[in-house]
Amino acid sequence: MRNRRKSAVGAAYAVPTAVVVTLFFLIPLGLVAVMSVDHWPLLGHATPNFPANYTDMADNTLLHQAVFFTLKYTVVITVVLFAVAFGLALLVQNPQPGVGALRTAFFLPTAVGFATASLLFLGMLSNEIGPVNPLLKDFGLIDKPVDWITGSPGTALTSTVGLVTWRFAGFNMLILLTGLQAIPTEIYEAARVDGASAWQSFRRITLPLMRPTIALVLIMMITGSLLAFDQFYIMTQGGPDNSTTSVVMVIVRQAFVKFNLGSAAAVSVAALGVLIVLNVFQLSVLRRRDS
């Protein structure tokens, strides 16, 4: 009787979460799956056209360009962001005077909204009113103002990587710092007594014990990068010449510029499938190494 009562109480606690997941995840996901096999205009009746929405992706040149750019951006931002975040976490790992202020300073950009941060960088990097070009010119690093946003694909990507690194390095630093402080100090002391150098301790102790935390951070970075939208939509508008158009921007264009919701839903389902496979692969590799 007591077990039944405990089970009923447990089920009652789970009901709100189940309702939220059903309303805001499962039902929309099912609707997107249905839309992906129909010709679904913004206004008018839907008509079945499976598998046209999926096969048309093979002829979508902009989508191919967006997939290549999104993968390139994911690799670049994951390497840069992880290196900066891990470096900051190691810098403020040990308690000493001033470390608290540094941790706060590094984390503060996380409190700025992503749209606000994008507009901030847009103004700072402007070749007409932004302070970055005059500053670089004063230091002799450039001869004339550089169009950091739409001047070339390289400068547009560099500007966006700088924005995302500034915005998210503190947040990822905090997660990595939690993992670093969970490592018992006795292990480092024993290694020091055995004559291990700082590099040997980092390679033999820190990295292996940080593997679950590093895996979590990398999964979040890669998933977020593959779904990148705001930074490119606000800063570069996908330009110049669609060179910074991400996959999510293609989905938005298909849905709300071309009003082809079925095609947008098909690209969304394909992107979701890739994300599921990628995350399952990452988690399986992590679990295999832990075992």
Side-chain angles (χ1 to χ4, degrees):
M1 186 66 181
R2 181 174 295 177
N3 291 334
R4 286 185 180 179
R5 186 178 299 170
K6 285 184 178 178
S7 300
V9 172
Y13 278 118
V15 166
T17 302
V19 171
V20 171
V21 170
T22 302
L23 287 178
F24 297 105
F25 179 71
L26 295 180
I27 292 178
L29 182 61
L31 180 60
V32 169
V34 172
M35 291 172 66
S36 70
V37 296
D38 290 332
H39 174 66
W40 197 303
L42 189 62
L43 300 174
H45 298 288
T47 54
N49 71 340
F50 181 79
N53 288 333
Y54 289 94
T55 55
D56 288 348
M57 286 191 286
D59 302 323
N60 191 332
T61 306
L62 179 59
L63 178 61
H64 298 166
Q65 188 175 350
V67 169
F68 176 76
F69 170 72
T70 303
L71 293 176
K72 175 183 173 183
Y73 167 74
T74 299
V75 172
V76 173
I77 192 61
T78 300
V79 172
V80 173
L81 183 56
F82 179 78
V84 173
F86 205 8
L88 294 179
L90 292 172
L91 181 66
V92 298
Q93 176 185 5
N94 298 317
Q96 50 187 316
V99 163
L102 284 178
R103 290 176 182 174
T104 304
F106 294 151
F107 185 74
L108 272 180
T110 306
V112 180
F114 206 10
T116 305
S118 301
L119 291 173
L120 176 65
F121 265 65
L122 199 59
M124 290 178 59
L125 297 175
S126 170
N127 58 348
E128 296 177 352
I129 61 172
V132 172
N133 274 317
L135 193 63
L136 294 177
K137 199 172 179 180
D138 290 342
F139 280 103
L141 297 176
I142 58 175
D143 297 327
K144 57 182 180 180
V146 176
D147 188 348
W148 294 100
I149 305 300
T150 58
S152 69
T155 57
L157 177 61
T158 302
S159 303
T160 310
V161 169
L163 161 66
V164 176
T165 303
W166 177 80
R167 173 67 173 71
F168 288 104
F171 175 76
N172 290 287
M173 174 207 73
L174 197 62
I175 299 175
L176 292 167
L177 183 61
T178 304
L180 285 172
Q181 293 189 335
I183 301 175
T185 55
E186 292 81 5
I187 299 178
Y188 289 110
E189 292 171 359
R192 199 175 300 117
V193 170
D194 290 339
S197 63
W199 168 247
Q200 288 173 328
S201 296
F202 176 76
R203 191 164 63 91
R204 300 288 186 182
I205 299 175
T206 304
L207 285 181
L209 295 181
M210 282 286 292
R211 187 180 298 140
T213 308
I214 291 174
L216 171 65
V217 170
L218 289 179
I219 288 174
M220 291 195 302
M221 286 181 182
I222 293 173
T223 303
S225 303
L226 292 175
L227 297 176
F229 172 74
D230 310 53
Q231 59 269 44
F232 298 114
Y233 185 77
I234 296 175
M235 285 190 65
T236 67
Q237 295 285 316
D241 297 328
N242 292 321
S243 61
T244 57
T245 299
S246 66
V247 172
V248 178
M249 289 183 73
V250 173
I251 295 173
V252 173
R253 288 183 185 181
Q254 289 293 106
F256 302 110
V257 176
K258 297 184 177 180
F259 302 126
N260 190 344
L261 300 186
S263 175
V267 179
S268 301
V269 171
L272 176 63
V274 171
L275 286 174
I276 291 175
V277 170
L278 183 62
N279 281 282
V280 168
F281 174 73
Q282 286 180 303
L283 291 174
S284 63
V285 169
L286 175 64
R287 191 175 297 117
R288 195 181 310 140
R289 288 184 176 178
D290 284 344
S291 63

